[in-house]
Amino acid sequence: MSTAGRAPLLHPVLRDLPCAALPPPLVTLTLQPGLDVSYEVERLVDDRKLHASRYRFDPGGNGINVARALTRLALPAHACMLVAGEIGSLLRRLVARQVRHVHATRIAGETRINAAVRQLDPAAQYEFIGRGPAPTPAELRGVIEQLLQLGGGGVVALTGSLPDGVAPTLYAELAQQLHARGSRVVLDMQGEALAAAVPRRPFLIKPNRWELEQLCGQALPRIADVRREACALVGAGVANVCVSLGAQGALLASADGVWRGLAPAVAVRSTVGAGDSMLAGLVGALACGAAAPDALRLGLACGSGTAAQPGTELFDPAQLPALLRATRVRRLGAA
Ligand SMILES: Nc1ncnc2c1ncn2[C@@H]1O[C@H](COP(=O)(O)OP(=O)(O)OP(=O)(O)O)[C@@H](O)[C@H]1O
Ligand SMILES: [Mg+2]
C-alpha cells in the first residue's frame, strides 16, 4: 500500500524516513504497572515533616512508557495493562491522557505505588518500589486474550517485570502464540524471562550491555565483544538485536549487517524511560518499513531526548529533528 494518503498522520521524522509501509497495530503489555509519585524536597531531615516544593503523579511501567513514546511519534499505540483498585483507576486515567487506546483488565487488589524523592541540596535521589497484586490464572488469561486479539498481525512489545506468581516462561509462551498469529514480537526484559523467550525467534530484542552479559554469561568489556554476542543471537534466529549502551549509544545487528550508533550529546537530567523511548523509536521506524540504520538513529534520538528531560518526562517530539542531526550511525560490516 502507498504511504502517500496517510503519511501526514505520521510525525515529520517518520515522514522523512524512506518508509515503505504504514504501521500495523503497535501493542504494548504492562503486567505490573505502578503509580509513580515523585516529591522534590530541599533537604531530607531526620524525624521532621517535610513539605515538598513539588510533587506529581505519573503512570509507570515499561510497556506504558513505550506506548507513551510511540504516541509522541504520532503512531497508533495500544497499551494493554493489568489494573487493580482505586490506584488502578487513577493510573488508567493518567495513561489515557497520553495514549489513545488503553485496554485495562481489572484484577483484585490495588495497583502498586512507587515513590521517588529528589533531594535538591546535596543532590540525591531515593526510590521506593511497591509490590503489585498477583493476578489469578483467570485474570491473567483475560489480559492475554486481549493481547492476542489486538496484536495478531501487528507488532507487540513484551517488556518489564512479571508480577508475583507468574511463571518466568510467560513471555516465551506469549511470543510463540503471537508468532503463530503472524505478529512481530519485541522483547525488552532481563534474566530468566529473556533467556526463555529468545529461542522463540523474536523480531527484536533490546538488552542493555548488562542484560546481554547476563544472557550470554560473560563480561563484554569491548564493543567487539558486544558485536560478537549480538551476531550470535542473530545467527540463533533473533531478527534484530539492539544492544543499548547508555551514553555510548547502541549497536544494532540483523541479517542485513551490523551498525554502531553514537548517541547525541545532551545535558542529561534523568535517564528514567530512556530505554523505553529508544525501543519505541526503533520499533516505530521498523514497523513503518524504515531501514535498520534509520531506525537505530531514531531510537537513539528518542532515548537521548528522554535523557535530556527531567523525572519521568519523555522526549519532546519537536526536538527530534535536531537530535537526529546530532546522531551518528555507521555500518561496521556483515553480521
Ligand atoms: N547518559 C546518557 N546520555 C545520552 N543518552 C543516553 C544516556 N543514557 C541513555 N541514553 C540514551 O538512551 C538509550 C537507552 O539507554 P540505556 O542503554 O541506558 O537503556 P536501558 O539500560 O534499557 O535503560 P532503562 O533504565 O530505561 O531500561 C541510549 O542508547 C541513549 O540513546
Ligand atoms: Mg531497559
Side-chain angles (χ1 to χ4, degrees), residues 150-241:
L150 287 166
V155 178
V156 181
L158 304 176
T159 64
S161 61
L162 293 164
D164 282 350
V166 174
T169 50
L170 178 76
Y171 285 140
E173 289 154 22
L174 288 180
Q176 185 160 6
Q177 293 179 50
L178 286 161
H179 205 264
R181 284 169 168 75
S183 314
R184 282 177 278 174
V185 177
V186 172
L187 303 174
D188 186 4
M189 64 205 53
Q190 47 178 276
E192 214 182 324
L194 177 62
V198 158
R200 307 299 166 107
R201 308 172 83 83
F203 173 66
L204 183 142
I205 65 172
K206 193 218 71 65
N208 58 28
R209 190 195 290 242
W210 180 80
E211 289 159 350
L212 183 64
E213 288 177 341
Q214 300 297 306
L215 185 64
C216 67
Q218 58 179 299
L220 305 170
R222 300 167 310 151
I223 293 297
D225 303 318
V226 171
R227 177 183 177 175
R228 183 190 66 240
E229 294 306 319
C231 291
L233 287 162
V234 171
V238 182
N240 296 278
V241 178

Side-chain angles (χ1 to χ4, degrees), residues 51-273:
H51 290 270
S53 48
R54 277 193 214 174
Y55 85 112
R56 55 181 288 165
F57 299 122
D58 288 289
N62 296 109
I64 288 171
N65 282 343
V66 173
R68 289 168 64 207
L70 287 168
T71 306
R72 283 177 190 220
L73 293 171
L75 289 167
H78 292 259
C80 295
M81 66 193 74
L82 289 178
V83 296
E86 299 294 328
I87 305 299
S89 300
L90 174 55
L91 178 98
R92 192 198 179 289
R93 203 146 41 84
L94 293 172
V95 179
R97 283 187 194 161
Q98 299 187 50
V99 177
R100 172 102 50 94
H101 308 287
V102 179
H103 309 273
T105 299
R106 286 221 149 256
I107 63 172
E110 280 293 343
T111 291
R112 67 180 175 173
I113 297 176
N114 302 320
V117 178
R118 194 156 88 93
Q119 173 181 273
L120 296 177
D121 184 22
Q125 172 113 356
Y126 303 87
E127 292 189 41
F128 308 88
I129 306 297
R131 193 157 190 173
T136 64
E139 289 171 338
L140 201 55
R141 268 199 304 280
V143 70
I144 289 172
E145 270 163 30
Q146 189 157 50
L147 181 83
L148 295 176
Q149 207 174 355
L150 287 166
V155 178
V156 181
L158 304 176
T159 64
S161 61
L162 293 164
D164 282 350
V166 174
T169 50
L170 178 76
Y171 285 140
E173 289 154 22
L174 288 180
Q176 185 160 6
Q177 293 179 50
L178 286 161
H179 205 264
R181 284 169 168 75
S183 314
R184 282 177 278 174
V185 177
V186 172
L187 303 174
D188 186 4
M189 64 205 53
Q190 47 178 276
E192 214 182 324
L194 177 62
V198 158
R200 307 299 166 107
R201 308 172 83 83
F203 173 66
L204 183 142
I205 65 172
K206 193 218 71 65
N208 58 28
R209 190 195 290 242
W210 180 80
E211 289 159 350
L212 183 64
E213 288 177 341
Q214 300 297 306
L215 185 64
C216 67
Q218 58 179 299
L220 305 170
R222 300 167 310 151
I223 293 297
D225 303 318
V226 171
R227 177 183 177 175
R228 183 190 66 240
E229 294 306 319
C231 291
L233 287 162
V234 171
V238 182
N240 296 278
V241 178
C242 180
V243 187
S244 64
L245 304 163
Q248 289 179 280
L251 179 138
L252 175 63
S254 75
D256 295 334
V258 184
W259 289 267
R260 171 84 169 95
L262 298 179
V266 294
V268 176
R269 294 169 81 184
S270 156
T271 59
V272 176

